Amino acid sequence: MRWIGCSAAGILGRVFLTISTTGSPERPATDLGFLLHKHPDRAQAFSTSHGTAHVLYPEASAERCTAALLLEVDPIALVRRGKGGKGAGRGQGPDTALAQYVNDRPYAASSLLAVALGSVFSSALKGQCAARPGLAEAALPLRVEVAALPARGGAELVRKLFEPLGWAVTAEPVPLDERFPEWGDSRYVRLVLEGERRLADALRHLYVLLPVLDDAKHYWVSPDEVDKLLRAGEGWLAGHPEQKLITSRYLARRWSLTREAMERLELARLAAADDTEVEEIDNAVDESTDTEERPVPLAVRRREAILAALRAAGAQRVLDLGCGQGQLVRELLKDVRFTEVVGVDVSVRALSIAARRLRLDRMGERQSARVKLLQGSLTYTDKRLQGYDAAVLSEVVEHVDPPRLPALEYAVFGAARPGTVLVTTPNVEYNVRWESLPAGHVRHGDHRFEWTRAEFRAWAAEVAERHGYAVEFAPVGPDDPEVGPPTQMAVFTLTATTTASTKEGEVA
């Protein structure tokens, strides 16, 4: 169900958005109804402060399901809310009622649609699904279409905003009037987003970025808008390359609110982008040695163990997922057997530091051809990461909220599918050996958990079974007979059967 051949004149005052997914007998596409908390067999209407929102399903089958949100903007209600100080958005104070009526209708769509999304799909936006709790955490093949999207900045800005989040983006300009092509294009685009995402993440992206593209909010932007932005932007906004533009536009260019949001995002980024553990733990040494030589820090032992495992696997093209400031990337580049090294991190700042440490700007042509640094979130599938010999997740999984681990698991083992995957993580049993670590504390404030050896082995075994890998385990650091090593490593190897079936599927 789509608007075909609509001109700018034909889209005033209405907003139309569809969300589609495909399914199978094991996971029917109509599960979308559970996630949205709206039954596919009913058309529903919801009153909002700016008009009426309608939710309906143009198609609903086990193979494909589409939910449509139609917002009918009431210009009279919009004008009434715009009168006076609190109802007016940026630049709307002295306008007459008629001017507001005429001027609001062409560009109100995006900001008001975001309000409707937050109201009509509030539970889905929060990732809540009481009927099917596990469903909300699953990545779905999604297609989102907005028939006419106001875009101040054009199709290029649309791509800059959505592509870093892993979406495949189509942004087609809408002509001012199809009858008069010489008039050129309007500032509207037809937007299509495609990718495998949690529905909650997709809705959060839209909730934040639609008003940003509209660049006009039709309601009072109060200080609590900062909290709304950070809640919806959790996990992706702090590392977005257009973070400053997004924050400024979302908060209607109110400098005090923008500064507050940027400061809070930076604090969150600093916590999440920490390489691994607190410095005194990460640089801890093997105190069991009786030699007078300077002991080896744990961070160095970890990198040595990873390099040895990669060499043993015969890997040449390697991903460092969650590369931080590039310590492992630098070590990999020292060995010529690694012909391509790709560092991936959500933090743009960490990648900038990595680039400086690696001296990419001074690197010779042959050496620079071996290395790439990419910004991306590890909980989203990314086609750029497919086809590599090996991937490393060094001290990464413990920084991920447990409900998000399945998304990371699928992105790495299900979508990227490197031949070898190395995962290192702290062994919480060893924490009693750190004299400087208070009892009951994890090694870093951003660690969401720390596993025992049994818990890590159980998780790794389940992942391997689900995705067709064999897994072996190795200690990193002194292997204490009572509590084990400080770091534990799992080496996943894609089985020959799985590899062969994958190739056959690609050929087919």
Side-chain angles (χ1 to χ4, degrees):
M1 184 172 180
R2 205 166 78 189
W3 288 9
I4 300 175
C6 60
S7 66
I11 58 180
L12 307 185
R14 292 188 177 184
V15 196
F16 191 71
L17 174 147
T18 60
I19 302 173
S20 302
T21 188
T22 55
S24 63
E26 296 76 24
R27 187 198 60 76
T30 47
D31 281 351
L32 184 63
F34 284 103
L35 291 170
L36 292 173
H37 298 261
K38 304 293 181 287
H39 199 287
D41 291 339
R42 292 198 299 268
Q44 298 174 266
F46 304 86
S47 295
T48 74
S49 55
H50 305 98
T52 303
H54 302 269
V55 178
L56 60 151
Y57 289 77
E59 54 183 342
S61 67
E63 293 75 28
R64 183 176 174 84
C65 185
T66 298
L69 174 65
L70 172 64
L71 177 63
E72 291 188 325
V73 178
D74 181 354
I76 304 302
L78 195 64
V79 170
R80 286 172 178 167
R81 286 181 59 81
K83 292 181 179 178
K86 282 201 170 186
R90 180 174 56 84
Q92 286 183 286
D95 288 356
T96 65
L98 180 59
Q100 287 177 317
Y101 176 85
V102 172
N103 293 333
D104 271 335
R105 294 188 69 186
Y107 65 80
S110 290
S111 58
L112 299 186
L113 181 58
V115 175
L117 282 172
S119 174
V120 175
F121 299 141
S122 58
S123 296
L125 195 69
K126 297 172 185 174
Q128 298 174 349
C129 184
R132 303 275 296 279
L135 187 60
E137 291 303 320
L140 304 177
L142 295 176
R143 176 186 172 93
V144 178
E145 183 171 349
V146 182
L149 171 69
R152 292 184 183 272
E156 181 180 357
L157 180 59
V158 175
R159 287 188 285 269
K160 284 183 178 180
L161 294 182
F162 284 103
E163 285 182 347
L165 301 174
W167 290 103
V169 180
T170 301
E172 301 174 350
V174 175
L176 280 169
D177 195 313
E178 291 182 341
R179 298 168 299 175
F180 304 99
E182 65 273 19
W183 289 5
D185 294 329
S186 68
R187 65 180 185 84
Y188 292 83
V189 299
R190 172 181 166 267
L191 173 67
V192 178
L193 304 175
E194 294 178 291
E196 290 205 5
R197 296 288 179 275
R198 288 195 322 153
L199 179 64
D201 293 334
L203 292 176
R204 289 170 185 166
H205 297 164
L206 294 167
Y207 181 81
V208 173
L209 297 181
L210 294 185
V212 169
L213 286 165
D214 191 9
D215 198 19
K217 283 200 168 185
H218 297 265
Y219 54 87
W220 178 249
V221 179
S222 58
D224 65 359
E225 290 292 310
V226 175
D227 294 327
K228 293 179 184 178
L229 171 63
L230 297 185
R231 280 197 300 270
E234 184 178 2
W236 62 271
L237 181 55
H240 199 291
E242 298 295 335
Q243 177 201 113
K244 186 174 182 180
L245 179 143
I246 292 170
T247 305
S248 175
R249 283 196 178 190
Y250 184 89
L251 297 170
R253 292 188 173 84
R254 292 189 59 186
W255 169 239
S256 61
L257 299 183
T258 302
R259 181 174 58 188
E260 178 190 346
M262 294 290 287
E263 289 173 352
R264 290 171 61 180
L265 284 167
E266 178 65 9
L267 289 174
R269 189 208 59 75
L270 288 173
D274 189 273
D275 286 336
T276 54
E277 305 144 344
V278 289
E279 185 176 354
E280 60 183 327
I281 298 296
D282 205 27
N283 292 325
V285 298
D286 180 0
E287 298 175 356
S288 65
T289 180
D290 293 328
T291 66
E292 294 183 359
E293 296 180 6
R294 183 179 179 183
V296 180
L298 177 58
V300 175
R301 286 178 175 268
R302 191 161 48 233
R303 288 194 287 273
E304 289 175 346
I306 290 169
L307 288 167
L310 291 172
R311 290 166 184 148
Q316 294 182 313
R317 303 175 66 238
V318 180
L319 298 167
D320 182 9
L321 304 178
C323 66
Q325 297 175 7
Q327 289 91 333
L328 178 60
V329 171
R330 181 172 55 193
E331 294 303 313
L332 288 165
L333 289 174
K334 292 178 181 178
D335 191 332
V336 294
R337 78 186 73 194
F338 301 118
T339 58
E340 183 178 354
V341 180
V342 178
V344 182
D345 203 278
V346 72
S347 169
V348 174
R349 184 174 182 272
L351 293 173
S352 297
I353 295 173
R356 289 200 299 272
R357 285 186 171 182
L358 295 169
R359 299 184 178 181
L360 291 183
D361 57 337
R362 306 181 205 174
M363 196 174 280
E365 184 176 346
R366 291 182 63 183
Q367 185 77 334
S368 64
R370 295 172 59 210
V371 61
K372 284 191 291 187
L373 298 177
L374 303 177
Q375 192 274 336
S377 172
L378 302 184
T379 56
Y380 296 129
T381 58
D382 191 337
K383 291 181 179 179
R384 298 175 299 175
L385 309 185
Q386 294 177 351
Y388 285 83
D389 300 328
V392 178
L393 289 161
S394 180
E395 310 304 285
V396 170
V397 294
E398 65 271 13
H399 289 270
V400 180
D401 286 317
R404 302 293 291 132
L405 277 176
L408 179 145
E409 172 193 330
Y410 179 77
V412 176
F413 295 90
R417 296 188 71 74
T420 300
V421 181
L422 306 182
V423 179
T424 72
T425 191
N427 168 23
V428 70
E429 297 169 83
Y430 195 90
N431 287 358
V432 296
R433 297 293 188 255
W434 303 120
E435 294 182 0
S436 57
L437 187 64
H441 283 232
V442 293
R443 300 184 195 178
H444 184 268
D446 189 56
H447 286 188
R448 308 309 168 89
F449 59 86
E450 288 178 357
W451 277 323
T452 65
R453 286 169 291 173
E455 289 170 337
F456 179 52
R457 286 171 178 262
W459 173 81
E462 291 175 0
V463 170
E465 183 177 1
R466 274 194 292 269
H467 298 285
Y469 283 79
V471 61
E472 296 179 352
F473 302 91
V476 178
D479 197 355
D480 188 290
E482 295 181 3
V483 297
T487 295
Q488 44 192 338
M489 180 168 71
V491 181
F492 297 83
T493 305
L494 194 62
T495 63
T497 303
T498 305
T499 304
S501 62
T502 300
K503 289 180 178 179
E504 288 174 6
E506 291 173 349
V507 171

